[in-house]
């Protein structure tokens, strides 16, 4: 293979998506007022790989808690109309920072109360702004394509901690993709970590990217020619370990401490990225083939009208959830019995397969896939394309708790998932990934 044949066309771009007006923030139901200011500006970023003859693949990342399925579809449809890029070649990822803006229909029951029409108007306006920004940043990245060399390797970072069980499973791997231009200058860095962006916790009401935002800033400060892109792995049951550290007394002191921890985690990630950039890496010599497939994930037994009424009488978050479902029944609407769950993969020849799982996926999925496939050629991501709620493994579903089903009321889902969801997801991944990546083939 010649030197020119080893180059792949890559374009990157970023756009500021910080609103210049107060707006409700997503992530914590305890918040009851609009945002109080900006700690850190937030961004959408686009990565485009491939030329027009091959058909480029596009990843857009946003600093937000979660993107609804229909929102991602709208952005993809817009881009397909403008550029011809099909749905299977487009993926949208979100960092799941709990200090970013509410979007229309994203965890719509999070506050267990109706949002005022005035506040909803602002949320709807920002949602459309974000769609426009995601389209614009993709179009810019398409114009900024140039021949590049791609390589990747796997580092390690240890600040993620299982938040359900002391000493419980985590995924501390840190895959890093290095993208350099034909002159050898670093053009972009993409990395992923399986941990919630919740260092700041719920006491704060300012816009911020949390540890992922500070990591991107630090990487770009260390490498000024590069655009840093961060996505999130299967970290639905992982928190930054600093969430478990003792806190000082006083709201202001707690805020300053948590902010320092967010920066600490961001700088730790940036330091590990810099270390990985100096190591030998596996070359990637072709654009990826993108594969997209949906699978229906069924809910468990839907409550009866009488059960909804009993729950409404309890009040609180459970009562609000039941009240909204009773309103649906009274309006003649049906209660959904499943969700359509998108799963996507980028396959770089036989060198690397990147899996994009939707929403909040617990760590068991990543660990299982890395047992069943060659872990040295597999990158497992989550928080992509849709935000229907937590996706539990059979273990977590059986254990119950917040990730096992309790959180579903905040996403507006009727109930927890039925048993078997894990195998439905894993079987779909097996369907879309080439068999040569399976562990027994190595």
């Amino acid at each position: 293979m010649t030197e020119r044949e080893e180059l792949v066309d890559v374009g990157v771009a970023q756009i500021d998506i910080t609103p210049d007006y107060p707006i409700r923030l997503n992530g914590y139901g305890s918040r009851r007022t609009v945002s109080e200011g900006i700690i850190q500006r937030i961004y959408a970023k686009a990565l485009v790989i491939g030329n027009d003859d091959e058909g480029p693949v596009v990843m857009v990342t946003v600093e937000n808690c979660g993107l609804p399925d229909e929102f991602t579809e709208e952005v993809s449809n817009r881009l397909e109309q403008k550029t011809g890029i099909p749905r299977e070649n487009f993926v949208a990822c979100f960092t799941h920072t709990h200090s970013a803006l509410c979007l229309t229909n994203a965890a719509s029951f999070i506050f267990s109360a109706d949002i005022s029409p005035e506040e909803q108007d602002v949320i709807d306006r920002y949602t459309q702004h974000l769609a426009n920004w995601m389209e614009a940043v993709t179009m810019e990245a398409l114009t900024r394509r140039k021949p590049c060399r791609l390589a990747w390797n796997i580092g390690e970072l240890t600040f993620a901690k299982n938040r359900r069980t002391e000493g419980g499973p985590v995924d501390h791997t840190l895959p890093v993709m290095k993208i350099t231009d034909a002159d050898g200058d670093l053009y972009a860095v993409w990395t992923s970590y399986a941990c919630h962006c919740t260092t700041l916790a719920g006491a704060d009401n300012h816009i911020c990217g949390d540890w992922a935002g500070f990591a991107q800033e630090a990487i770009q400060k260390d490498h000024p020619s590069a655009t840093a892109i961060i996505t999130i792995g299967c970290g639905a049951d992982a928190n930054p370990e600093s969430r478990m550290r003792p806190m000082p007394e006083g709201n202001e002191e707690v805020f300053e401490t948590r902010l320092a921890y967010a920066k600490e985690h961001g700088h730790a990630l940036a330091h590990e990225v810099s270390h990985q950039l100096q190591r030998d890496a596996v070359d990637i010599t072709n654009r990826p083939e993108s594969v997209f497939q949906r699978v229906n994930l069924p809910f468990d037994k839907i409550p009866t009208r009488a059960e909804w009424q009993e729950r409404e009488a309890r009040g609180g978050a459970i009562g609000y959830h039941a009240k909204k479902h009773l309103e649906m029944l009274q309006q003649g609407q049906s209660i959904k019995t499943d969700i359509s769950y998108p799963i996507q993969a980028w396959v770089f020849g036989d060198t690397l397969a990147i899996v994009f799982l939707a929403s909040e996926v617990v760590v068991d999925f990543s660990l299982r896939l890395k047992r069943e496939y060659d872990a040295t050629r597999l990158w497992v991501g989550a928080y992509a394309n849709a935000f229907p709620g937590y996706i539990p493994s059979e273990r977590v579903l059986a254990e119950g708790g917040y990730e096992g089903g309790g959180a579903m009321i905040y996403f507006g889902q009727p109930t927890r998932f039925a048993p078997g969801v894990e195998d439905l997801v894993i079987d779909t991944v097996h369907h879309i990934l080439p068999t040569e990546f399976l562990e027994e083939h190595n």
Side-chain angles (χ1 to χ4, degrees):
M1 181 175 289
T2 68
E3 181 175 328
R4 181 60 184 90
E5 288 173 327
E6 293 178 351
L7 300 179
V8 180
D9 284 354
V10 178
V12 291
Q14 68 176 32
I15 192 169
D16 192 323
I17 59 172
T18 317
D20 58 1
Y21 44 84
I23 181 174
R24 295 289 288 266
L25 303 185
N26 206 339
Y28 296 109
S30 58
R31 292 187 179 120
R32 287 293 183 268
T33 60
V34 297
S35 57
E36 298 168 16
I38 301 167
I39 295 172
Q40 180 189 50
R41 302 195 74 80
I42 55 177
Y43 294 87
K45 301 184 180 184
L47 171 68
V48 175
I49 305 177
N51 59 40
D52 290 339
D53 292 335
E54 299 168 317
V57 298
V58 176
M59 179 179 70
V60 177
T61 65
V62 297
E63 293 183 83
N64 193 272
C65 193
L67 302 178
D69 195 344
E70 65 272 19
F71 176 87
T72 301
E73 292 296 315
E74 176 191 341
V75 175
S76 178
N77 287 338
R78 285 198 203 179
L79 289 170
E80 185 167 10
Q81 291 173 11
K82 283 196 171 183
T83 67
I85 295 171
R87 175 65 185 90
E88 62 267 23
N89 283 13
F90 174 80
V91 59
C93 299
F94 42 95
T95 63
H96 198 52
T97 172
H98 283 42
S99 298
L101 305 316
C102 283
L103 299 179
T104 306
N105 295 327
S108 53
F109 287 15
I110 185 77
F111 303 112
S112 302
D114 290 344
I115 295 175
S116 71
E118 295 77 15
E119 289 177 338
Q120 188 61 55
D121 285 345
V122 176
I123 292 169
D124 293 344
R125 174 159 56 106
Y126 180 79
T127 302
Q128 283 307 303
H129 286 169
L130 182 59
N132 295 340
W133 283 322
M134 290 173 68
E135 178 185 336
V137 77
T138 302
M139 299 303 293
E140 182 180 354
L142 285 165
T143 69
R144 299 187 71 230
R145 281 176 289 178
K146 57 183 175 179
C148 290
R149 291 182 178 86
L150 282 65
W152 88 293
N153 51 17
I154 304 172
E156 184 178 21
L157 197 62
T158 60
F159 70 73
K161 185 173 182 178
N162 191 291
R163 69 186 194 182
R164 291 172 56 87
T165 307
E166 180 66 31
V170 288
D171 184 352
H172 281 159
T173 60
L174 187 77
V176 178
M177 184 176 292
K178 175 182 179 181
I179 302 172
T180 54
D181 64 21
D183 295 326
D185 294 325
L186 190 63
Y187 185 42
V189 178
W190 171 19
T191 187
S192 179
Y193 193 53
C195 185
H196 258 78
C197 266
T198 53
T199 321
L200 296 178
D204 182 65
N205 199 22
H206 289 72
I207 296 169
C208 184
D210 207 278
W211 63 258
F214 289 115
Q216 290 180 127
E217 280 188 357
I219 292 168
Q220 292 181 173
K221 182 178 179 181
D222 292 341
H223 308 280
S225 66
T227 298
I229 297 169
I230 291 182
T231 55
I232 309 298
C234 297
D237 46 351
N239 267 347
E241 57 82 18
S242 60
R243 287 286 299 272
M244 290 75 167
R245 297 179 193 173
M247 286 289 122
E249 295 183 2
N251 290 339
E252 186 63 29
E253 291 78 9
V254 168
F255 165 71
E256 292 297 335
T257 301
R258 291 198 181 282
L259 182 60
Y261 288 155
K263 293 178 179 179
E264 172 189 318
H265 296 321
H267 290 156
L269 189 148
H271 178 77
E272 177 63 7
V273 165
S274 291
H275 172 64
Q276 294 304 318
L277 292 175
Q278 299 305 313
R279 295 181 59 227
D280 290 338
V282 177
D283 291 330
I284 298 170
T285 57
N286 55 292
R287 68 173 283 283
E289 293 295 328
S290 187
V291 190
F292 180 93
Q293 186 169 322
R294 289 180 177 271
V295 60
N296 289 337
L297 304 184
F299 292 120
D300 213 342
K301 181 179 179 292
I302 304 299
T304 64
R305 183 182 292 269
E307 288 170 333
W308 285 126
Q309 291 170 339
E310 184 274 327
R311 294 181 186 189
E312 182 184 24
R314 297 186 208 175
I318 291 175
Y320 177 79
H321 176 260
K323 173 187 172 184
K324 302 306 286 186
H325 280 81
L326 282 169
E327 289 176 0
M328 291 173 61
L329 291 174
Q330 290 161 4
Q331 294 166 7
Q333 301 176 31
S334 59
I335 305 298
K336 58 187 173 182
T337 58
D338 60 13
I339 63 164
S340 175
Y341 183 77
I343 298 175
Q344 202 160 356
W346 284 4
V347 181
F348 295 85
D350 60 0
T351 304
L352 170 65
I354 303 178
V355 176
F356 300 94
L357 300 176
S359 205
E360 306 207 50
V361 183
V362 299
V363 69
D364 289 349
F365 286 84
S366 175
L367 299 181
R368 178 176 170 181
L369 287 169
K370 290 178 181 180
R371 291 192 302 269
E372 296 179 0
Y373 288 91
D374 179 1
T376 66
R377 297 185 292 153
L378 186 67
W379 177 331
V380 183
Y383 296 93
N385 288 322
F387 191 46
Y390 282 82
I391 311 300
S393 62
E394 289 303 296
R395 174 184 68 85
V396 171
L397 190 63
E399 290 175 358
Y402 190 76
E403 299 87 353
M408 298 299 265
I409 62 173
Y410 303 110
F411 291 86
Q413 306 296 3
T415 189
R416 55 182 267 160
F417 284 115
V421 163
E422 177 182 334
D423 282 343
L424 287 170
V425 172
I426 297 294
D427 288 350
T428 305
V429 173
H430 276 270
H431 188 261
I432 66 176
L433 286 189
T435 56
E436 53 262 39
F437 283 92
L438 288 169
E439 181 60 29
E440 59 260 30
H441 282 244
N442 301 287

